[in-house]
PDB file of all heavy atoms in Angstrom:
ATOM      1  N   MET H   1      23.531  26.268  22.410  1.00  0.00           N
ATOM      2  CA  MET H   1      22.275  26.998  22.544  1.00  0.00           C
ATOM      3  C   MET H   1      21.117  26.115  22.073  1.00  0.00           C
ATOM      4  O   MET H   1      21.207  25.454  21.043  1.00  0.00           O
ATOM      5  CB  MET H   1      22.343  28.273  21.703  1.00  0.00           C
ATOM      6  CG  MET H   1      21.086  29.094  21.762  1.00  0.00           C
ATOM      7  SD  MET H   1      21.262  30.573  20.741  1.00  0.00           S
ATOM      8  CE  MET H   1      19.564  30.958  20.529  1.00  0.00           C
ATOM      9  N   GLN H   2      20.058  26.105  22.831  1.00  0.00           N
ATOM     10  CA  GLN H   2      18.887  25.314  22.477  1.00  0.00           C
ATOM     11  C   GLN H   2      17.886  26.163  21.713  1.00  0.00           C
ATOM     12  O   GLN H   2      17.820  27.382  21.886  1.00  0.00           O
ATOM     13  CB  GLN H   2      18.233  24.763  23.739  1.00  0.00           C
ATOM     14  CG  GLN H   2      19.069  23.720  24.439  1.00  0.00           C
ATOM     15  CD  GLN H   2      18.297  23.108  25.607  1.00  0.00           C
ATOM     16  OE1 GLN H   2      17.386  23.718  26.130  1.00  0.00           O
ATOM     17  NE2 GLN H   2      18.683  21.906  25.982  1.00  0.00           N
ATOM     18  N   TYR H   3      17.102  25.479  20.863  1.00  0.00           N
ATOM     19  CA  TYR H   3      16.060  26.179  20.122  1.00  0.00           C
ATOM     20  C   TYR H   3      14.923  26.534  21.071  1.00  0.00           C
ATOM     21  O   TYR H   3      14.685  25.832  22.061  1.00  0.00           O
ATOM     22  CB  TYR H   3      15.510  25.286  19.009  1.00  0.00           C
ATOM     23  CG  TYR H   3      16.506  24.999  17.908  1.00  0.00           C
ATOM     24  CD1 TYR H   3      16.960  23.702  17.672  1.00  0.00           C
ATOM     25  CD2 TYR H   3      16.972  26.021  17.088  1.00  0.00           C
ATOM     26  CE1 TYR H   3      17.861  23.443  16.661  1.00  0.00           C
ATOM     27  CE2 TYR H   3      17.871  25.766  16.072  1.00  0.00           C
ATOM     28  CZ  TYR H   3      18.318  24.477  15.862  1.00  0.00           C
ATOM     29  OH  TYR H   3      19.211  24.216  14.861  1.00  0.00           O
ATOM     30  N   PRO H   4      14.187  27.618  20.766  1.00  0.00           N
ATOM     31  CA  PRO H   4      12.991  27.912  21.562  1.00  0.00           C
ATOM     32  C   PRO H   4      12.040  26.702  21.537  1.00  0.00           C
ATOM     33  O   PRO H   4      12.009  25.955  20.547  1.00  0.00           O
ATOM     34  CB  PRO H   4      12.379  29.119  20.848  1.00  0.00           C
ATOM     35  CG  PRO H   4      13.505  29.741  20.096  1.00  0.00           C
ATOM     36  CD  PRO H   4      14.432  28.614  19.734  1.00  0.00           C
ATOM     37  N   GLU H   5      11.287  26.513  22.584  1.00  0.00           N
ATOM     38  CA  GLU H   5      10.450  25.312  22.737  1.00  0.00           C
ATOM     39  C   GLU H   5       9.520  25.043  21.552  1.00  0.00           C
ATOM     40  O   GLU H   5       9.431  23.903  21.097  1.00  0.00           O
ATOM     41  CB  GLU H   5       9.641  25.386  24.041  1.00  0.00           C
ATOM     42  CG  GLU H   5       8.932  24.084  24.331  1.00  0.00           C
ATOM     43  CD  GLU H   5       8.201  24.097  25.671  1.00  0.00           C
ATOM     44  OE1 GLU H   5       8.438  25.003  26.476  1.00  0.00           O
ATOM     45  OE2 GLU H   5       7.388  23.185  25.865  1.00  0.00           O
ATOM     46  N   PRO H   6       8.823  26.070  20.992  1.00  0.00           N
ATOM     47  CA  PRO H   6       7.951  25.768  19.851  1.00  0.00           C
ATOM     48  C   PRO H   6       8.710  25.183  18.653  1.00  0.00           C
ATOM     49  O   PRO H   6       8.223  24.261  17.997  1.00  0.00           O
ATOM     50  CB  PRO H   6       7.335  27.128  19.489  1.00  0.00           C
ATOM     51  CG  PRO H   6       7.402  27.913  20.755  1.00  0.00           C
ATOM     52  CD  PRO H   6       8.671  27.462  21.436  1.00  0.00           C
ATOM     53  N   ILE H   7       9.919  25.702  18.380  1.00  0.00           N
ATOM     54  CA  ILE H   7      10.722  25.173  17.273  1.00  0.00           C
ATOM     55  C   ILE H   7      11.198  23.766  17.607  1.00  0.00           C
ATOM     56  O   ILE H   7      11.162  22.869  16.760  1.00  0.00           O
ATOM     57  CB  ILE H   7      11.937  26.091  16.987  1.00  0.00           C
ATOM     58  CG1 ILE H   7      11.487  27.430  16.423  1.00  0.00           C
ATOM     59  CG2 ILE H   7      12.913  25.423  16.030  1.00  0.00           C
ATOM     60  CD1 ILE H   7      11.267  27.467  14.948  1.00  0.00           C
ATOM     61  N   ALA H   8      11.657  23.545  18.831  1.00  0.00           N
ATOM     62  CA  ALA H   8      12.146  22.225  19.252  1.00  0.00           C
ATOM     63  C   ALA H   8      11.034  21.183  19.118  1.00  0.00           C
ATOM     64  O   ALA H   8      11.273  20.065  18.646  1.00  0.00           O
ATOM     65  CB  ALA H   8      12.668  22.290  20.684  1.00  0.00           C
ATOM     66  N   LYS H   9       9.810  21.558  19.520  1.00  0.00           N
ATOM     67  CA  LYS H   9       8.676  20.631  19.406  1.00  0.00           C
ATOM     68  C   LYS H   9       8.349  20.333  17.941  1.00  0.00           C
ATOM     69  O   LYS H   9       8.025  19.205  17.583  1.00  0.00           O
ATOM     70  CB  LYS H   9       7.443  21.205  20.107  1.00  0.00           C
ATOM     71  CG  LYS H   9       7.495  21.111  21.610  1.00  0.00           C
ATOM     72  CD  LYS H   9       6.202  21.624  22.216  1.00  0.00           C
ATOM     73  CE  LYS H   9       6.203  21.428  23.721  1.00  0.00           C
ATOM     74  NZ  LYS H   9       4.956  21.928  24.318  1.00  0.00           N
ATOM     75  N   LEU H  10       8.441  21.362  17.089  1.00  0.00           N
ATOM     76  CA  LEU H  10       8.167  21.171  15.675  1.00  0.00           C
ATOM     77  C   LEU H  10       9.223  20.260  15.040  1.00  0.00           C
ATOM     78  O   LEU H  10       8.896  19.367  14.254  1.00  0.00           O
ATOM     79  CB  LEU H  10       8.115  22.521  14.950  1.00  0.00           C
ATOM     80  CG  LEU H  10       7.716  22.500  13.475  1.00  0.00           C
ATOM     81  CD1 LEU H  10       6.352  21.830  13.276  1.00  0.00           C
ATOM     82  CD2 LEU H  10       7.705  23.910  12.908  1.00  0.00           C
ATOM     83  N   ILE H  11      10.475  20.452  15.417  1.00  0.00           N
ATOM     84  CA  ILE H  11      11.552  19.586  14.927  1.00  0.00           C
ATOM     85  C   ILE H  11      11.294  18.147  15.350  1.00  0.00           C
ATOM     86  O   ILE H  11      11.392  17.215  14.541  1.00  0.00           O
ATOM     87  CB  ILE H  11      12.934  20.080  15.428  1.00  0.00           C
ATOM     88  CG1 ILE H  11      13.303  21.403  14.749  1.00  0.00           C
ATOM     89  CG2 ILE H  11      14.024  19.030  15.171  1.00  0.00           C
ATOM     90  CD1 ILE H  11      14.503  22.106  15.353  1.00  0.00           C
ATOM     91  N   ASP H  12      10.935  17.949  16.617  1.00  0.00           N
ATOM     92  CA  ASP H  12      10.617  16.601  17.106  1.00  0.00           C
ATOM     93  C   ASP H  12       9.448  15.992  16.332  1.00  0.00           C
ATOM     94  O   ASP H  12       9.450  14.797  16.027  1.00  0.00           O
ATOM     95  CB  ASP H  12      10.291  16.632  18.599  1.00  0.00           C
ATOM     96  CG  ASP H  12      11.513  16.847  19.469  1.00  0.00           C
ATOM     97  OD1 ASP H  12      12.646  16.643  18.971  1.00  0.00           O
ATOM     98  OD2 ASP H  12      11.340  17.220  20.647  1.00  0.00           O
ATOM     99  N   SER H  13       8.453  16.811  16.011  1.00  0.00           N
ATOM    100  CA  SER H  13       7.293  16.313  15.266  1.00  0.00           C
ATOM    101  C   SER H  13       7.695  15.863  13.866  1.00  0.00           C
ATOM    102  O   SER H  13       7.269  14.805  13.405  1.00  0.00           O
ATOM    103  CB  SER H  13       6.214  17.397  15.167  1.00  0.00           C
ATOM    104  OG  SER H  13       5.696  17.694  16.441  1.00  0.00           O
ATOM    105  N   TYR H  14       8.512  16.677  13.191  1.00  0.00           N
ATOM    106  CA  TYR H  14       8.967  16.291  11.853  1.00  0.00           C
ATOM    107  C   TYR H  14       9.818  15.024  11.895  1.00  0.00           C
ATOM    108  O   TYR H  14       9.779  14.211  10.985  1.00  0.00           O
ATOM    109  CB  TYR H  14       9.758  17.426  11.195  1.00  0.00           C
ATOM    110  CG  TYR H  14       8.895  18.481  10.535  1.00  0.00           C
ATOM    111  CD1 TYR H  14       9.033  19.827  10.870  1.00  0.00           C
ATOM    112  CD2 TYR H  14       7.960  18.142   9.569  1.00  0.00           C
ATOM    113  CE1 TYR H  14       8.250  20.799  10.255  1.00  0.00           C
ATOM    114  CE2 TYR H  14       7.180  19.110   8.952  1.00  0.00           C
ATOM    115  CZ  TYR H  14       7.325  20.439   9.303  1.00  0.00           C
ATOM    116  OH  TYR H  14       6.548  21.391   8.695  1.00  0.00           O
TER     117      TYR H  14
END
Side-chain angles (χ1 to χ4, degrees):
M1 179 180 160
Q2 292 186 337
Y3 293 116
E5 189 176 347
I7 292 275
K9 284 183 175 180
L10 185 56
I11 291 169
D12 287 342
S13 294
Y14 277 125

